[in-house]
Amino acid sequence: MKNNNDIVIIDYQLGNLFSVKHACVKVGLNPIITSDKKDILKASILILPGVGAFGDAMENLKRLDLVSPLKDKVKMGIPLFGICLGLQLLFEESEEHGTNKGLGLIPGTVKKIPFSIENRKIKVPNTGWNTIYNKNVSEWNNSPLNSLDQNSYMYFVHSYYAKPANANDILTLTNYDGLEYCSSIKKDNICAFQFHPEKSGKNGLEIYNNIKIAFQ
Amino acid sequence: MKTIRIIPRLDIKGPNLVKGIHLEGLRVLGKPEDFARYYYENGADELFYQDVVASLYERNSLNSLISNTAKEIFIPLTVGGGIRTIADINSVLRAGADKVCINTAAIKNPNFIKEASRSFGSSTIVIAIEAIKQPDGCYLAYTDNGREHTGIEVADWAKKAEELGAGEIVITSVDRDGTGLGFDMQLIQLISEIVSIPLIIHGGASDESNIATAIKEGKADGVALASILHYNFIQNNITSLIGKEEGNTDFLKSGKQFSRITPTTIKTIKEFLNKNTISIRL
Amino acid sequence: MIENKDVLKRYNLPSEVKFCKKCTISNQRPRITLDENGVCSACNFAEYKKTKFDWDKREEQLIALLDKFRKNDGTYDVIVPSSGGKDSAYIAHELKYKYGMNPLTVTWSPHLYTEIGWQNFQGMIHTGNLANVLGTPAGETHRKLTKLSFEILGDPFQPFIYGQTNFPLQVAVNYGIPLIMYGENGEVEYGGDMKNAFTPTRDYKGDHKKHYFSGLGPEDLIKYGISKNDIAPYMAPSDEKLNKLGCEIHFYGYYKKWIPQEFYYYCTEHTGFKANPVRSEGTYSKYASLDDKLDGYHYYLAYIKFGLGRATSDSAHEIRDGHLTREEGVQLVRKFDGEFPSKYFQTFLEYCNISEDYFWEVINSWRSPHLWGKDEGGNWKLLHNVSKTGLKD
C-alpha cells in the first residue's frame, strides 16, 4: 500500500486545489497538498495545478524555493503532471504581463489568445468545453488519455496558450473557434494539460484513474 | 469550434434551493445537493450557486455546500452572493469553487474587480448584472438581489467591468426572471455587442426554441437556466425536505404545478440545440 | 407648539418594552399580549393553526357558505374588497375559477396611485378577468381629512381606512350583494384582540371602531370641523340596511391557509402581477402594499408610535409562516426598520399642504418617552430594539 506522501499536489497559492485533491481521492489516490519542498523531494508523483497569472506563479514558486526541487525531481524521472497554468509554467517564457521566464522544462513559449481570427471576434478567456484530438494514435495510447476516445470533451478556462517548439512534445490539439493550439503535452515523464481534468466530468476522472493505474 | 454552455443556476437560501419571480419570493423547491447531483449526471456543463440572501442578511454561508459539491461533482462551479472582499473570494475558492460571481460589491467599489482579477486571474472573476427595464426603455443595474436602485446603465457598466478585468459577465433580466416568458433579446443584444469576454444570459427562458434563438441572435456563450429545469426535477423526483422544514415549503407540499413554466431537461435542450446547428457538448 | 401625545394611555400600552421570543414584534403593538414564556399571541395562534386546524374541514365550510350565496345567473354574488394587490386578487380569482362564484372586486382608491399599483390593479381586471368597482372620494375633502387625521391621530391613512372598511358595505347595500369576503383577520393574524380567532366572520356592528379606526370613527371627525355632508361618503350604511340585506363579512384566512408569499406566485401566474423593481422603503420586500405613494407615512408613524416599522411587521409574519428564522428577521429589522420614506416626501407635504417643519413637529409629538430618547449627537433613537442595541438596552 502506497503511503500518503507519495502523491504531492504542489501548493504555490494559486488555484483550486480542493477539486484536484478530490478528483484524486475519487479514483482512490491519496494525495497531500503542500508548499514544503521537503515533501516535494519525497514525492513519487508531482501534480502542478494552477489558475492565475504566470508572473505571480513563478514568483511564488521562487519565494517558496520550489523551483530547484521540482526540476531535480523531473530530472530524476519522477512523473510530473501539470494542469492549466501548471502546463504553461513548464515552458521557457510567457508573454503574459510582459515577458516572464518559466521553468524551461519544455522548449517553447506561451502566447496570448488573439481577440480576433480571420476578422472574426473571439471571446477571451476561452471558457468552456472543447474536444481534444491527436492523429498519432500511439502517442495517445501511451498517455493517461489511453482509455478515452478521440475528440473527447474537456473543460478549458484560459487566456494564454502554449506553443511547444517541438511538435513531438504535443500530445493533443484543440480548435477554439478557428485557433488550433496545443491542449496537452507529453515529454518523457512530464505530462500536462491545458484543460482541467478535475473539472471535466467523467472524462476527466478517467485521466486521473489512468494516472493511478500507471502508478500502481 | 467552441461549445455553448448550459448552466443550471441554483438560488440558495440556507439549506434550501429556492426560486422566486423578479428576484422576489423564496419558494422552496428542495435541497440543492439533490438538484446539483442530478444536473451533473444529466449533462450540465457547469453549475452556478447563488446565495440570494447573503447581501440581505450580511452573511456568507455556502462554504460547506460548496465543499460537499466539489467532492462529488467534477464540473466547474461558480458561486455568488455576498462576495465582498478578497478574503471572501479566497474562502470560497478554497472551499472548492472555481469562479466567483460578484454584483453588489463591484458596483459599490468597481476597483474591487481590478483587485480581484489581479489576485486570482480574470477567468476566476464573473460579474453579475441584474437589469431592470425602465419606463423610458433603457436598462439600469440593481444590487442586493434586485432590490436597490443604482441609476447605472447596464451597457456602460458591462464595458467598465470588462476593462477592470472581469473574465465573464452574467446578465440577468429581473423583469423576466421566474416568469417563463422568454429571454429579453433586446437586453442580451445590448450587452453582447459591447463585450469581448464570455457572456452568460439568464432570466425567463421559456423553452428549447427560445434558448436556441437567444444563443444564435444574442450570441451568448452560455445560458443559465433555473425555473424550467427545477420545476421539471421536482415533477419527476422525490425531493427530501429538511427536518425542520425551514422556509416557504407550502408549494412543494401542495404537489401543484406552476403553470407559467414549461419544464424540460438539459438533454432535451441539448438535443434541440444540436439539431439546430448550435455547437454543444453532448 | 404641538402638544405631546400620551401614546401609552391612548393605546393602552405596557410601559416596559418586551420583544416576543419567537418573532420580531414587541408588546407595543396595540392589543397584543405576550404569554408567560414571552411568546406573542400571534405566534401562538400561528402555531395553533399549523397543528390544530383541519383545513379540509374548513374548506368544506367555505364551500357550504359559497353554495348558500352563489347566484349562477351572471349577477355578482360576492364582494372582495381589493386594492389590486396580491392578497385580494388571489381571493377573487380563486373564488371565481375554483369555486364558481361571480366576485365583484371593490376598491377604495389609494390617496395617490403608484405606477406599479395601477399596473397591478389593471392586471387584476384584464389578465385576471375580474370585475371591479372603484370608489374615489372627492379629492380636496379627502386631502383635508388626511391632513386632519395626520394631525390628531398621527396616521394620515385614516380616511383611507374608513373607506376601505365602509365602501364595500355601501356597495353591498347598493348592489344587493350580502356576502363580503375579506382576506385575513388582521387582529388575529398579526396579534391583537383574539376574540374572533375562531369565528370566520367580522361583526360590522361592534368591532370596527375599536379594531380598525383606533377609536375614532368618521362621525367623530365632526367635532374637528368636518361637515356631516363631507363625512357621509365615509360612513357605513345603517345597521338596519345591513341587517335587511343579510350582510355577512367573512375572512378567507379562516377557511384557507394564509400564505401571502404564495399569493404573490399565484398572482404572477394568473393576474399579471408584477413585483416592484425596488424594495419598499422601510422593509425588504418588493411585493407587498405597493399601491399608494403615501403608504410609507402610515408605516413610518407606526414606527414612531410603537417602535415597530414595516420590516418588523413583514418579518414577524414571515417568521410565523416559517419562511424566515428569527435571526434572519432580526437582521432585516436592523437593516431596514424605520427607514424614512423619502421618495414621496415632497408629494406628501404638498398633498397635505404642510411644511417640512410642521411635519416633523407632528411626528415628534408622537414620540413617547418610554420608547424614545436622544443619543449624544442629539439624534432620536429607540430606547429598546429587537437587536438589543437601543439606548437603554
Side-chain angles (χ1 to χ4, degrees), chain C residues 166-183:
Chain C
N166 293 335
F167 183 61
L169 293 172
Q170 294 172 13
V171 173
V173 164
N174 291 339
Y175 281 66
I177 310 170
L179 178 62
I180 302 179
M181 188 67 76
Y182 272 94

Side-chain angles (χ1 to χ4, degrees), chain B residues 111-127:
Chain B
N111 213 42
F112 183 45
I113 305 178
K114 202 170 181 185
E115 246 190 280
S117 65
R118 203 51 203 83
S119 300
F120 300 100
S122 278
S123 54
T124 308
I125 308 300
V126 180
I127 296 301

Side-chain angles (χ1 to χ4, degrees), chain B residues 13-16 18 24-28 53 57 59 244-251 253, chain C residues 50 257-265 284 287 314-329 332:
Chain B
K13 176 181 181 286
N16 295 321
V18 297
E24 174 61 287
L26 299 167
R27 177 187 267 180
V28 170
V53 292
Y57 300 142
R59 72 178 188 202
K244 278 202 171 161
E245 295 182 356
E246 175 188 322
N248 175 3
T249 52
D250 296 285
F251 172 81
K253 287 191 252 187
Chain C
K50 267 186 223 160
K257 249 180 159 180
W258 195 252
I259 313 156
Q261 192 171 103
E262 279 302 313
F263 306 156
Y264 166 65
Y265 284 94
Y284 52 92
Y287 57 49
D314 285 351
S315 60
H317 89 73
E318 288 220 85
I319 292 168
R320 290 173 211 134
D321 288 343
H323 298 174
L324 299 177
T325 62
R326 189 179 192 271
E327 205 186 310
E328 289 166 352
L332 292 169

Side-chain angles (χ1 to χ4, degrees), chain B residues 89-161:
Chain B
I89 300 177
N90 203 32
S91 164
V92 159
L93 295 179
R94 286 206 97 86
D98 300 286
K99 296 184 258 178
V100 292
C101 186
I102 308 172
N103 176 21
T104 304
I107 285 196
K108 288 195 173 140
N109 173 24
N111 213 42
F112 183 45
I113 305 178
K114 202 170 181 185
E115 246 190 280
S117 65
R118 203 51 203 83
S119 300
F120 300 100
S122 278
S123 54
T124 308
I125 308 300
V126 180
I127 296 301
I129 303 179
E130 289 163 0
I132 300 183
K133 194 169 187 177
Q134 306 300 304
D136 65 0
C138 86
Y139 291 92
L140 295 183
Y142 286 72
T143 61
D144 296 88
N145 199 34
R147 259 159 188 69
E148 304 287 347
H149 176 87
T150 64
I152 295 172
E153 205 274 319
V154 299
D156 291 339
W157 175 233
K159 191 74 201 152
K160 192 166 182 195

Side-chain angles (χ1 to χ4, degrees), chain C residues 262-329:
Chain C
E262 279 302 313
F263 306 156
Y264 166 65
Y265 284 94
Y266 182 99
C267 290
T268 60
E269 215 178 325
H270 299 289
T271 69
F273 188 86
K274 260 197 123 167
N276 208 14
V278 289
R279 61 174 182 81
S280 303
E281 288 162 315
T283 189
Y284 52 92
S285 78
K286 304 200 295 185
Y287 57 49
S289 200
L290 300 175
D291 56 328
D292 198 337
K293 289 183 182 176
L294 307 192
D295 213 343
Y297 303 95
H298 165 72
Y299 291 105
Y300 186 70
L301 271 151
Y303 177 71
I304 297 295
K305 286 182 192 171
F306 312 119
L308 304 170
R310 208 164 164 170
T312 298
S313 39
D314 285 351
S315 60
H317 89 73
E318 288 220 85
I319 292 168
R320 290 173 211 134
D321 288 343
H323 298 174
L324 299 177
T325 62
R326 189 179 192 271
E327 205 186 310
E328 289 166 352

Side-chain angles (χ1 to χ4, degrees), chain C residues 54-71:
Chain C
D54 182 345
W55 292 108
D56 291 330
K57 208 164 176 183
R58 296 251 168 152
E59 197 185 7
E60 279 170 34
Q61 285 179 283
L62 173 68
I63 292 173
L65 171 74
L66 297 176
D67 286 345
K68 223 172 83 183
F69 287 92
R70 194 178 295 108
K71 295 261 190 69

Side-chain angles (χ1 to χ4, degrees), chain C residues 134-351:
Chain C
L134 172 67
T136 313
E140 208 183 294
T141 308
H142 202 58
R143 285 198 292 279
K144 203 162 60 177
L145 292 174
T146 303
K147 178 181 175 180
L148 184 62
S149 51
F150 172 61
E151 288 167 329
I152 58 175
L153 202 56
D155 191 354
F157 245 37
Q158 196 75 337
F160 173 77
I161 297 172
Y162 292 148
Q164 193 187 40
T165 316
N166 293 335
F167 183 61
L169 293 172
Q170 294 172 13
V171 173
V173 164
N174 291 339
Y175 281 66
I177 310 170
L179 178 62
I180 302 179
M181 188 67 76
Y182 272 94
E184 81 282 30
N185 183 339
E187 282 301 291
V188 161
E189 293 279 332
Y190 307 129
D193 190 337
M194 296 303 278
K195 74 180 241 239
N196 292 325
F198 302 101
T199 55
T201 54
R202 175 159 111 190
D203 177 8
Y204 53 79
K205 286 170 278 211
D207 297 330
H208 283 182
K209 202 154 156 177
K210 191 166 165 224
H211 291 175
Y212 302 102
F213 300 158
S214 303
L216 191 87
E219 62 284 358
D220 298 320
L221 292 179
I222 292 170
K223 67 172 180 275
Y224 291 97
I226 306 294
S227 78
K228 230 175 163 187
N229 287 358
D230 276 345
I231 238 12
Y234 298 83
M235 302 288 290
S238 66
D239 283 352
E240 290 101 289
K241 286 199 177 137
L242 291 168
N243 292 342
K244 189 163 170 219
L245 175 67
C247 180
E248 284 184 40
I249 304 175
H250 288 250
F251 290 107
Y252 210 59
Y254 173 87
Y255 301 104
K256 291 286 185 113
K257 249 180 159 180
W258 195 252
I259 313 156
Q261 192 171 103
E262 279 302 313
F263 306 156
Y264 166 65
Y265 284 94
Y266 182 99
C267 290
T268 60
E269 215 178 325
H270 299 289
T271 69
F273 188 86
K274 260 197 123 167
N276 208 14
V278 289
R279 61 174 182 81
S280 303
E281 288 162 315
T283 189
Y284 52 92
S285 78
K286 304 200 295 185
Y287 57 49
S289 200
L290 300 175
D291 56 328
D292 198 337
K293 289 183 182 176
L294 307 192
D295 213 343
Y297 303 95
H298 165 72
Y299 291 105
Y300 186 70
L301 271 151
Y303 177 71
I304 297 295
K305 286 182 192 171
F306 312 119
L308 304 170
R310 208 164 164 170
T312 298
S313 39
D314 285 351
S315 60
H317 89 73
E318 288 220 85
I319 292 168
R320 290 173 211 134
D321 288 343
H323 298 174
L324 299 177
T325 62
R326 189 179 192 271
E327 205 186 310
E328 289 166 352
V330 169
Q331 171 57 18
L332 292 169
V333 170
R334 189 196 352 248
K335 207 165 172 173
F336 299 116
D337 220 29
E339 180 186 22
F340 184 70
S342 52
K343 187 168 182 188
Y344 294 117
F345 188 38
Q346 286 311 314
T347 309
F348 180 73
L349 295 177
E350 278 159 26
Y351 187 86

Side-chain angles (χ1 to χ4, degrees), chain B residues 3-52:
Chain B
T3 59
I4 307 297
R5 296 169 270 154
I6 302 296
I7 308 171
R9 173 173 158 141
L10 285 67
D11 286 346
I12 298 169
K13 176 181 181 286
N16 295 321
L17 181 148
V18 297
K19 187 71 199 83
I21 301 179
H22 309 311
L23 298 185
E24 174 61 287
L26 299 167
R27 177 187 267 180
V28 170
L29 296 184
K31 274 167 80 169
E33 294 89 339
D34 295 338
F35 288 78
R37 193 177 310 117
Y38 174 75
Y39 294 138
Y40 170 56
E41 287 165 5
N42 288 279
D45 294 312
E46 289 182 22
L47 287 178
F48 190 135
Y49 286 172
Q50 180 73 16
D51 183 341
V52 289

